[in-house]
Structures are given as C-alpha cells and as structure tokens.
C-alpha cells in the first residue's frame, strides 16, 4: 500500500468511527474488529450505471420498482403467481433475466418488483412489446395506471417507480445468463468426454 | 431507370399506404448504381437567414413520389437539434423531440460505446461540436447530373449571409461501387409496408411503415411518439450519420496474416461479412464466389439461415448475420424486425487497394459516411452498438465483437464454426475507426415549409 492509500483508508476509518459514535457499544466494538479487514481489502470498483436508471456490476444490472397496486389487482396477480409457482416461461425465453421477485407491501397496496438482468434496462422494452406483450400486460397491469406495454411512453412510466440500489453484490459480475448456460453445456460435454476416456 | 429488380425489368408495384409526395425521396429511394454525390454541412448564425436558406432550397428537395424511378439527381436535407434551435423552433416543439436526439450523438458516446479511438474528442471537425446545423446530400447515378444538382444547391447557399458552409464531402465514383474495404454494399434493406413496391425475394415481410416514417403505426400497432406540432413530425424521420475512417492497411495485414493464398484470404474476407466481396452471400455460394449472383438483386438477398443453423456457411459473428440475424435462433429474446435500419451509406476517398499494407494506408482518407434512417434511429443505433456490435452475448459469442465495425481491444477474436472443431482467429483490430457523427431530423416537405415560414 502506498502512503497515499494508507492515508485514505485511515481517513475512511475515522469517518466511520464518527458516524458510529452514537451507536450502541457492541456495534462500535464490531466496527473496530472489522476495520483492519476493510482496510486491507481496499475499496471495490464503483457501481456503474445500467443506462437510464439502476446500477450495474460488470454485465449484470439491477432493477427495483415499488409501485401502487391497482384496485383488486393484488388477488389476481397473487393467484396467477401462485399458479406459476416460480415457473416463468417468458423470463426463460428472454435470456437475460437472472431472477425476479414480486413482493406485496403495505397491506397489499404496493408492489415491489426486483430483478437482476444482463445489459441495459431499456434496450429490450420495445422487443417485449412485440414478442411477449400479453405476458407483460397480464403481470404488470397490477400496477395502477399501467398504460400497456405497447404504449409509446411505457419507458417513462416505468422509470417513475424505479429506485436505484445504494449497494448491491454480485458474485459473478461477468457471467450473463447466456454464458452460464453455455458453460453448463461445456461442463457437461467435458464430463461425458472424461467419462469415456477415464 | 428503375432502381429495383433491374434484371427482372421494373419493380412489382403494390398498394401505397404512406404520403409519398410529402416524404423526402432519400427515405425510400435506394442509392443508385453507379453513384456520385456530395454532403454539404452548413451552419446557421441567424434564424432568419437559416429560414431563408430553407425557403430557397425547398423547391429542389425531392419527394418520394415514384421513388422507384430515379431519372434525375436528387437532394435531401436534414437538420440537427442545434440546427432546429438556431432556426428558432418554439420551445415546446423543441421539447417534443426525443431526449437522445436533443443531446446529440457526441454526448451519447457512453451509451454508444464510442470510446478510445472512437471517442468524440478525436473526431474530425466540425463533427460533435454542435456546429453542424443542416446537412444537404445530393445523390446521382450520373456525373454530369450530379454536377448540375450540386450547382443548383450551391446557388442557394453560396454567400447567403447569416449562414456558413462548414465542410463539403464528395462521395461515390468508386470502381464497381465497392466500399472502402472492397465489398459491394447496401444490398440488404428492409421492405416497408405501404411504400408501393413488392419486397424483393428474401427481403422478408414488409415492416410497418411507422418504424421508418413518423406518423404511422409501428410494429407494436401504435405510432411512435412524434415531434410536435404534427405538421413538423409527420412524414419525417431521424437520420444518424457516422463517419468512419477505414484502416485498409490493418485490414489487409489481417487477411495476409490469416490466409496463405489469395483464395484463403478472399474466403476469410467473405466469412467476416457473410458475403463475398462481389455481394454473393455465403449461404448461397458457400465454396466459391459467384459474381453473377452478387450482382443480381432478384437473387443476392434471397436466403434465410434455416439451412445454416450451425453457422458453417455464415459464422454467427459475421457482420451481416449480426446486423440482421433473420431467422437465426438468438440466445436473447429480440424482435429482429425492430432493429432494422434503412441504409444510405456513401463511400469517400481513394478506392480499395488490396496491395495497401502500411500504417500510412490506414490514415489516408477513405471510409464511409455510414447513414441510417428510422423513426427510432437513435434507439436503434444505441441498441445495435451495445447489443449486436460491441457484444457477442446474443449469439452466445461472449465478448466477441463485430469484426467489421466493432471496437476491438488487443484480444479481438472471430470464431468460424467448422468441422470437427471451430477455428478461432485472434488479433482482430478496429478496422473502421469512428471520426464523426451526428443525429439529424429529416423533415417532410410540408415540415420544411413550416420551418421556413416560422417567425420571431
Ligand atoms: C463502416 C464500415 C462498414 C462496412 C465496411 C460495412 C460493410 C458491409 C457489407 C459488405 C455488407 C454486406 C452487403 C449488404 O447487404 O450491404 C453489410 C451489410 C450490413 N451492414 Fe454494414 N458495414 C459498415 C458499417 C455498418 C454499420 C455501422 C452498421 C450498423 C450500425 C451496418 C449495418 C449493416 C446492415 C444492417 C447490413 C445488412 C444485413 C442484412 O440485411 O443481411 N454496417 N455491411
């Protein structure tokens, strides 16, 4: 570590101590225990932007949306999601979606939608509008005022409810869904080959 | 002269569903063969002078009526966002243009991946400075007609105080109409619904007019958002210009390094694009070139990739297969009909020379003014740059980039599927370097008059 860097980490440690000064005693002890480790690891590369809104780590981006639910829509969507039981054929086809979660908040008046996906947020919205419009409309019409996926202002509508993450961890930031599938195929083929010669 | 289906006589007509006499000719009219022309970049200092210029030019801007017949040279006009501002377009109207257009291509460099050697900081003046307000383009199939049309245009802008000429770039006049890397180009174009002409064989189903011309339903069934008032937006479209410098020496050195014989080098050149230099597609002529096929508009685009699912004819990473995957099974859901562009590119500078091998040849001025049109041209080029050009994920090619226009780092790779194992070629360089670019709006003829008559 250069002198400059060690000065920086020392400053950061001081800043944390100040911030945690009012925290309960066990928390302050925990912080002191953690500081040496944080200092040796240095700072992580900053999160990039996923285009218009949201954060990106390597090739993976995050999207979190909290939107008001349309009247009576909770029951519809909840039943639909239960029936699907986590089986999202559409997401499978899209080929960029790592995960998706739907959570109803505040007495079922709000919907939280969160996903990790590859690439830029709005690159494929118009493709969804022509390739999987029904699926999109069935699910997202639960949001109050949903204009329909084909509406030309749909991107602006979605942006209104998106909240960029402050922090976010990705284990394999360079592995896209497509690449993961490819590596699985390659791994399987390699095992079969080794089985034959072994 | 007919511009389409030459070997089969005139083009087969079909119903017209758009206002051809209000749309500029260039939107629908193909670049002629042979072709000659000039791009003139102009600056407007005073709104009144800019409007006077448009008023003078308007009678000479051609409409798309009978676009499939090109008897004469034609002139097109397009205006940048700073251009609209300097013409005094009212604020609420300016605000109705898409945000990406208002920012301009240089400011969108992050979204476009225009970094390193392609960074706007390195562009040729006056690109990216906000000075380019109006682009005039003259196209012709004949040298004398080109000169006459150019003279007419010059009489309108020459010495008009309050406006200034920034650059004049002649283009075309290339032997065999080849592009700077020696290929026949502008073969694959989208068919447009309601344009009045039947698709050429292999062109695919006509795409909804609203994807290319503002004011009509697009592929999703509804019109895209359009600049306001309606008279300004309707029948107009957006244009992207990207000026490339072709590093011909680097390209030839790459072919030399990876091909022992002339035949191997030509096959490699064909694999990079998906067509032989003659235009003959590898899908139809996999083993050797067929110049007659390359020349024939009834046959040279008449293919799909249904018989080439492993990419053994046209590699998945080939420029043509990336830019229009047709029926290729993609790893990511995409609607290939949404990312098509009308291309009107023009080659400038010294013609391609297979013997040019030096670094000096990389810098001698020759390249392409890549010109594309579409109702969502800004979205389309940003999509293409991010997803299909500087990325390989959609074809399960990892970090591989487009071999012709990709921005390569030291590790540039091109995969050629072969039996029994694929061949991977390393050491791909950036063969076409970006030296300028602008987003422009190509107004309808009535919008042109509306702009010319603005007051205040
Ligand atoms: C700057 C250097 C470029 C060169 C040398 C080049 C060369 C070529 C060639 C030889 C072809 C095959 C013939 C044809 O169909 O036209 C082609 C096709 C095509 N290129 Fe390029 N190109 C360049 C830039 C671009 C750019 C910047 C884009 C888009 C952003 C692009 C998009 C396309 C498309 C859409 C096709 C037609 C594919 C099809 O319909 O099958 N090209 N190009």
């Amino acid at each position: 570590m250069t002198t400059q860097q060690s000065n920086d980490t020392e400053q950061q440690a001081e800043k944390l101590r100040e911030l945690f000064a009012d925290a309960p005693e066990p928390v302050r002890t925990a912080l002191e225990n953690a500081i040496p480790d944080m200092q040796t690891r240095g700072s992580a590369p900053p999160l990039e932007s996923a285009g218009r809104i949201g954060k990106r780590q390597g090739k993976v981006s995050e999207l979190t949306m909290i939107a008001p639910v349309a009247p009576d829509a909770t029951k519809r969507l909840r039943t639909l999601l239960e029936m699907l039981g986590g089986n999202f054929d559409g997401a499978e086809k899209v080929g960029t979606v790592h995960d998706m979660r739907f959570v109803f908040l505040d007495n079922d008046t709000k919907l939280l939608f969160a996903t990790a996906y590859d690439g830029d947020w709005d690159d494929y919205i118009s493709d969804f509008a022509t390739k999987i419009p029904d699926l999109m409309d069935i699910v997202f019409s639960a949001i109050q005022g949903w204009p329909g996926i084909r509406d030309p202002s749909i991107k602006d509508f979605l942006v209104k409810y998106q909240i960029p993450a402050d922090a976010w961890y990705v284990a394999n930031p360079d592995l896209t869904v497509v690449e993961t599938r490819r590596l699985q195929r390659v791994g399987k083929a390699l095992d079969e080959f080794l089985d034959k010669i072994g | 002269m007919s511009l389409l289906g030459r070997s089969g006589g005139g083009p087969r007509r079909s119903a017209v569903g758009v206002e051809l006499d209000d749309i500029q000719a260039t939107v629908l009219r193909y670049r002629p063969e042979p072709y000659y022309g000039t791009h003139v970049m102009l600056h407007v200092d005073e709104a009144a002078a800019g409007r006077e210029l448009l008023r003078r030019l308007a009678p000479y801007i051609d409409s798309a009526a009978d676009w499939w017949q090109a008897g004469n040279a034609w002139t097109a006009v397009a205006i940048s966002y700073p251009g609209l501002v300097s013409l005094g377009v009212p604020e609420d109207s300016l605000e109705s243009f898409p945000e990406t257009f208002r920012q301009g291509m240089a400011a969108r460099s992050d979204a476009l991946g225009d970094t390193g050697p392609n960074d706007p900081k390195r562009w040729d003046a006056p690109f990216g400075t906000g000075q380019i307000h109006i682009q005039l383009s003259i196209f012709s199939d004949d040298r004398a007609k080109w000169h006459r049309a150019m003279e007419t245009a010059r009489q309108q802008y020459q010495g008009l105080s309050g406006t200034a000429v920034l650059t004049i770039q002649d283009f075309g006049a290339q032997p065999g109409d080849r592009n700077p890397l020696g290929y026949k180009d502008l073969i694959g174009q989208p068919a447009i619904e309601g344009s009045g002409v039947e698709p050429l064989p292999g062109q695919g189903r006509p795409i909804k007019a609203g994807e290319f011309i503002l004011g009509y339903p697009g592929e999703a069934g509804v019109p895209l958002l359009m600049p306001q008032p309606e008279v300004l937006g309707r029948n107009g479209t957006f244009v992207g210009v990207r000026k490339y410098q072709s590093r011909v020496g680097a390209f030839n050195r790459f072919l030399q390094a990876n091909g022992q014989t002339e035949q191997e080098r030509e096959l490699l050149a064909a694999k990079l694009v998906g067509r032989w230099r003659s235009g003959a597609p590898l899908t139809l002529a996999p083993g050797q070139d067929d110049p007659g096929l390359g020349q024939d508009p009834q046959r040279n685009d008449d293919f799909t990739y249904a018989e080439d699912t492993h990419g053994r004819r046209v590699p998945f990473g080939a420029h043509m297969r990336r830019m229009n995957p047709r029926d290729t099974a993609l790893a990511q859901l995409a609607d290939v009909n949404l990312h098509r562009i009308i291309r009107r590119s023009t080659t400038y500078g010294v013609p391609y020379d297979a013997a040019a091998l030096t670094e000096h040849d990389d810098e001698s001025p020759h390249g392409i003014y890549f010109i594309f049109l579409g109702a969502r041209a800004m979205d389309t080029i940003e999509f293409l740059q991010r997803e299909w050009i500087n990325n390989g994920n959609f074809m399960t090619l990892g970090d591989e980039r487009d071999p012709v226009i990709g921005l390569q780092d030291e590790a540039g790779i091109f995969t050629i599927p072969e039996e029994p194992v694929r061949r991977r070629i390393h050491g791909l360089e950036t063969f076409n370097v970006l030296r300028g670019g602008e987003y422009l709006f190509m107004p309808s003829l009535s919008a042109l008059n509306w702009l010319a008559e603005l007051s205040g």
Side-chain angles (χ1 to χ4, degrees):
Chain A
M1 217 188 292
T2 66
T3 347
Q4 178 60 42
Q5 279 170 328
S6 79
N7 282 346
D8 285 354
T9 53
E10 204 40 59
Q11 265 178 19
Q12 281 181 358
E14 269 318 304
K15 194 166 176 194
L16 284 175
R17 284 189 187 104
E18 271 171 43
L19 275 171
F20 279 73
D22 296 333
E25 161 62 22
V27 178
R28 273 181 286 143
T29 314
L31 179 69
E32 283 310 321
N33 293 342
I35 277 177
D37 200 33
M38 286 156 83
Q39 284 178 329
T40 50
R41 232 179 329 129
S43 46
L47 287 171
E48 282 175 72
S49 152
R52 186 159 163 188
I53 187 170
K55 294 281 162 45
R56 153 140 8 126
Q57 284 271 28
K59 293 176 178 169
V60 189
S61 307
E62 60 84 27
L63 179 152
T64 310
M65 244 174 70
I66 299 181
V69 174
D72 304 326
T74 313
K75 184 150 172 257
R76 284 202 299 265
L77 183 57
R78 185 171 271 147
T79 315
L80 180 79
L81 294 174
E82 270 166 18
M83 282 168 141
L84 289 172
N87 252 331
F88 285 93
D89 212 30
E92 182 88 12
K93 258 193 284 179
V94 168
T96 49
V97 181
H98 291 256
D99 70 13
M100 285 195 298
R101 99 185 42 179
F102 297 84
V103 182
F104 290 100
L105 305 173
D106 294 351
N107 262 334
D108 291 354
T109 57
K110 286 185 186 146
L111 173 67
L112 177 149
F113 171 69
T115 171
Y117 65 97
D118 299 321
D120 263 19
W121 177 88
D122 54 0
D123 273 339
Y124 290 96
I125 297 291
S126 33
D127 298 66
F128 296 165
T130 59
K131 296 292 266 191
I132 48 168
D134 301 334
L135 199 80
M136 294 296 292
D137 281 344
I138 292 170
V139 172
F140 289 101
S141 60
I143 299 175
Q144 182 132 35
W146 176 253
I149 188 70
R150 295 182 179 89
D151 190 283
S153 65
I154 188 69
K155 293 182 186 179
D156 298 327
F157 177 83
L158 290 168
V159 159
K160 273 198 310 206
Y161 297 115
Q162 191 175 345
I163 309 161
D166 284 314
W168 184 47
Y169 169 76
V170 180
N172 296 308
D174 287 325
L175 274 190
T176 62
V177 172
V178 172
E179 190 63 9
T180 309
R181 288 177 186 162
R182 188 184 75 84
L183 290 174
Q184 279 175 335
R185 285 198 301 272
V186 172
K188 197 161 158 260
L190 181 65
D191 276 336
E192 280 167 12
F193 173 71
L194 293 175
D195 286 347
K196 270 187 207 143
I197 63 166
Chain B
M1 185 206 66
S2 158
L3 281 169
L4 286 167
R6 217 160 313 189
S7 63
R12 286 185 29 233
R13 298 288 322 282
S14 66
V16 172
V18 296
E19 289 155 19
L20 291 178
D21 53 5
D22 196 35
I23 298 164
Q24 287 199 41
T26 298
V27 179
L28 293 170
R29 186 169 288 161
Y30 287 34
R31 194 187 67 191
E33 287 175 39
Y35 72 100
Y36 305 85
T38 307
H39 300 298
V40 184
M41 303 296 189
L42 297 147
H43 181 81
V44 174
D45 287 313
E46 293 160 26
R51 293 180 204 141
E52 170 65 17
L53 176 61
L54 294 187
R55 231 183 337 267
R56 289 188 186 182
L57 285 168
Y60 304 104
I61 306 301
D62 296 82
S63 86
D66 296 332
W67 61 268
W68 47 89
Q69 306 287 340
N72 261 315
W74 71 92
T75 305
V77 61
I79 306 170
S80 68
Y81 182 74
L84 294 171
V85 173
S86 63
L87 286 165
V89 170
E91 191 55 39
D92 51 347
S93 179
L94 290 173
E95 279 170 16
S96 67
F97 280 82
E99 181 59 24
T100 42
F101 172 76
R102 302 176 62 188
Q103 290 179 20
M105 195 182 280
R108 297 295 298 170
S109 59
D110 277 347
L112 289 159
D114 292 338
T115 57
N118 289 356
D119 192 311
K121 285 199 216 67
R122 302 180 178 213
W123 287 1
D124 298 339
F127 283 104
T129 61
Q131 286 175 286
I132 295 177
H133 289 166
I134 297 178
Q135 175 174 343
L136 275 186
S137 298
I138 288 128
F139 285 85
S140 176
D141 65 348
D142 173 276
R143 198 179 283 272
K145 286 190 232 163
W146 161 43
H147 286 156
R148 276 200 300 276
M150 189 55 211
E151 185 48 36
T152 303
R154 188 180 294 125
Q155 282 165 12
Q156 314 316 315
Y157 64 72
Q158 193 87 310
L160 179 60
S161 88
T163 69
V165 179
L166 300 171
T167 56
I168 296 182
Q169 175 75 61
D170 289 343
F171 59 77
Q174 302 282 321
D177 286 332
R178 297 302 174 91
N179 78 14
L181 298 180
Y183 297 82
K184 178 176 165 67
D185 68 354
L186 298 203
I187 299 169
Q189 301 279 8
I192 300 165
E193 196 176 283
S195 69
V197 164
E198 286 287 330
L200 285 164
Q203 214 174 3
R205 82 159 163 81
I207 294 171
K208 293 271 182 252
E211 295 295 325
F212 301 104
I213 305 162
L214 291 162
Y216 302 89
E219 285 288 308
V222 290
L224 308 188
L225 292 179
M226 176 170 93
Q228 295 299 322
E230 175 149 342
V231 59
L232 176 61
R234 188 176 169 78
N235 290 326
T237 192
F238 290 98
V239 184
V241 180
R242 285 168 79 76
K243 179 187 178 187
Y244 284 95
Q245 161 75 24
S246 294
R247 298 180 60 232
V248 178
F251 188 70
N252 287 337
R253 289 195 297 278
F254 173 80
L255 295 181
Q256 295 277 348
N258 295 288
Q260 304 288 318
T261 62
E262 176 67 15
Q263 208 179 348
E264 278 181 21
R265 289 193 283 276
E266 283 307 304
L267 181 60
L268 177 56
K271 290 284 183 186
L272 295 176
V273 163
R275 292 181 187 271
W276 297 91
R277 283 184 158 137
S278 69
L282 282 172
T283 38
L284 303 179
Q288 63 184 38
D289 191 8
D290 180 351
L293 171 63
Q295 272 305 320
D296 184 354
Q298 294 295 327
R299 294 191 293 142
N300 65 11
D301 207 30
D302 191 10
F303 63 87
T304 67
Y305 294 111
E307 308 279 286
D308 192 26
T309 49
H310 297 285
R312 300 223 174 89
R313 293 183 176 198
V314 179
F316 296 115
H319 175 62
M320 172 180 88
R321 195 160 186 169
R322 283 173 170 266
M323 294 297 91
N324 180 11
R326 302 185 191 214
D327 55 344
T328 305
L330 301 181
Q332 287 173 236
L333 179 112
D335 185 340
V336 292
N337 289 326
L338 284 185
H339 309 292
R340 304 290 304 276
I341 43 179
I342 296 172
R343 291 177 297 146
R344 298 288 180 257
S345 305
T346 53
T347 293
Y348 66 90
V350 288
Y352 174 70
D353 175 4
L357 288 165
T358 67
E359 287 185 14
H360 178 75
D361 296 317
D362 292 345
E363 282 307 316
S364 72
H366 47 194
I368 288 186
Y369 269 56
F370 180 78
I371 297 174
F372 61 99
L373 287 80
R376 49 169 116 225
M378 289 74 64
D379 282 357
T380 307
I381 190 68
E382 293 189 2
F383 175 93
L384 292 176
Q385 283 284 121
R386 278 198 293 262
E387 299 294 322
W388 290 1
I389 293 172
N390 289 323
N391 202 328
N393 202 47
F394 75 119
M395 290 278 190
T396 319
L397 289 171
D399 290 329
E400 271 185 44
R401 296 179 168 205
D402 185 297
V404 177
I405 48 174
L407 178 64
Q408 309 289 349
D409 54 25
E410 309 85 76
I413 290 176
F414 182 63
T415 302
I416 305 179
E418 275 176 16
E419 282 287 18
V421 289
R422 88 278 186 284
R423 174 174 177 216
R424 286 225 294 182
I425 302 190
H426 296 259
L428 224 57
E429 291 183 43
T430 304
F431 296 128
N432 289 287
V433 179
L434 192 69
R435 286 287 162 75
E438 296 290 336
Y439 288 145
L440 303 161
F441 175 64
M442 184 169 280
S444 70
L445 299 186
S446 35
L448 202 56
N449 288 324
W450 183 85
L451 288 165
E453 298 308 324
L454 282 173
S455 56

